[in-house]
Amino acid sequence: MEHVAEDWSSALAIVAHPDDLEYGTAAAVARWTGQGKAIAYCLATSGEAGIDGLEPERAGPLREAEERAGAALVGVDIVEFLGHPDGVLEYGLPLRRDIARAVRRHRPDVVITGNYHDTWGPGMPNQADHVALGRAVLDGVRDAGNRWVFRELLDEGLQPHRVSSLLVSNVPGAEHGVDVTESFAAGVASLEAHAEYLRGLGDHAMSDPGEFLESLARQVGTALGCTYAVGFEVVSV
């Protein structure tokens, strides 16, 4: 496993739901903000369908607040929500356009997203929103650099912007990693900030978020040659 290049200064993290970034990626974000890098979060949905015992009208604002709190713990103070419906996120032009718009507004060096592949591994299918969002990010990032795609963005004053690479977290068999040994605790705190969501998982709730994240980070750390690490697929744009 190779180390992810860190010769960049700004990033935009785009995922489907509040808490998607907190399953490991937030620890890498804490490392990077600690280096002085500027990172913003952009979430396609508000996660309003994620708590079975709480109606979406109440769950959405609650989960947005938890996401902002978790982001602050890893040095992120810009958190945006695109307002797409949770649970039925669709790959298509509206989502690609919103992603291209966000990239042109923030103008990051790199874009961070989550696993968009069909599975997490053998016998573990990925969730539909993750797949739709990740594939829209792949295309939306390219759209952001092409002035003749979504030409209405030019009318909004948003000029094309090209990013250098896409960092995709939690991909099985990832060949790159980030040493998060020093920032691991901040990543755990970021997930723990989603207290109501974690409680709302009911029978599926994890008893110890830190222990769960440690089991993931230690395995990748062994491959990278450190205590704790987060794996990434690096996609050249």
Side-chain angles (χ1 to χ4, degrees):
M1 178 173 280
E2 300 179 24
H3 288 267
V4 169
E6 296 181 325
D7 56 346
W8 47 271
S9 61
S10 63
L12 178 63
I14 310 174
V15 293
H17 315 109
D19 88 294
D20 281 355
L21 287 163
E22 282 66 50
Y23 287 95
T25 311
V29 170
R31 170 187 169 94
W32 291 327
T33 58
Q35 295 173 345
K37 301 183 192 301
I39 300 180
Y41 284 3
C42 178
L43 294 95
T45 81
S46 297
E48 69 275 8
I51 302 177
D52 184 67
L54 196 62
E55 59 270 23
E57 293 75 16
R58 294 176 56 198
L62 169 65
R63 298 200 65 196
E64 287 187 5
E66 289 187 334
E67 181 61 27
R68 291 191 175 97
L73 291 171
V74 293
V76 175
D77 56 11
I78 298 176
V79 181
E80 301 175 347
F81 298 88
L82 298 179
H84 288 262
D86 183 22
V88 289
L89 194 60
E90 292 184 296
Y91 172 90
L93 295 181
L95 184 56
R96 279 174 52 188
R97 182 186 296 109
D98 282 349
I99 289 167
R101 179 182 286 114
V103 171
R104 290 193 187 189
R105 281 193 298 106
H106 289 280
R107 310 187 79 76
D109 298 323
V110 301
V111 165
I112 302 164
T113 194
N115 181 16
Y116 57 85
H117 299 287
D118 290 335
T119 70
W120 298 103
M124 296 184 291
N126 201 348
Q127 196 261 358
D129 283 0
H130 299 157
V131 176
L133 184 281
R135 291 176 177 170
V137 168
L138 282 173
D139 292 329
V141 164
R142 287 181 291 213
D143 297 334
N146 187 335
R147 72 175 56 253
W148 306 124
V149 176
F150 302 130
R151 293 161 70 175
E152 61 270 31
L153 297 181
L154 296 174
D155 296 332
E156 297 175 18
L158 298 174
Q159 293 298 316
H161 177 73
R162 294 181 180 179
V163 303
S164 62
S165 61
L166 187 64
L167 305 180
V168 187
S169 65
N170 295 318
V171 175
E175 297 181 351
H176 292 77
V178 176
D179 182 347
V180 297
T181 305
E182 299 299 322
S183 57
F184 178 75
V188 173
S190 187
L191 177 58
E192 290 175 338
H194 294 263
E196 291 300 321
Y197 170 69
L198 294 175
R199 190 176 299 115
L201 292 176
D203 293 341
H204 300 286
M206 64 184 71
S207 58
D208 187 335
E211 184 177 283
F212 175 78
L213 292 178
E214 181 178 350
S215 68
L216 302 177
R218 188 174 293 278
Q219 181 178 357
V220 182
T222 298
L224 192 63
C226 59
T227 304
Y228 299 131
V230 177
F232 286 89
E233 176 184 13
V234 179
V235 180
S236 178
V237 180

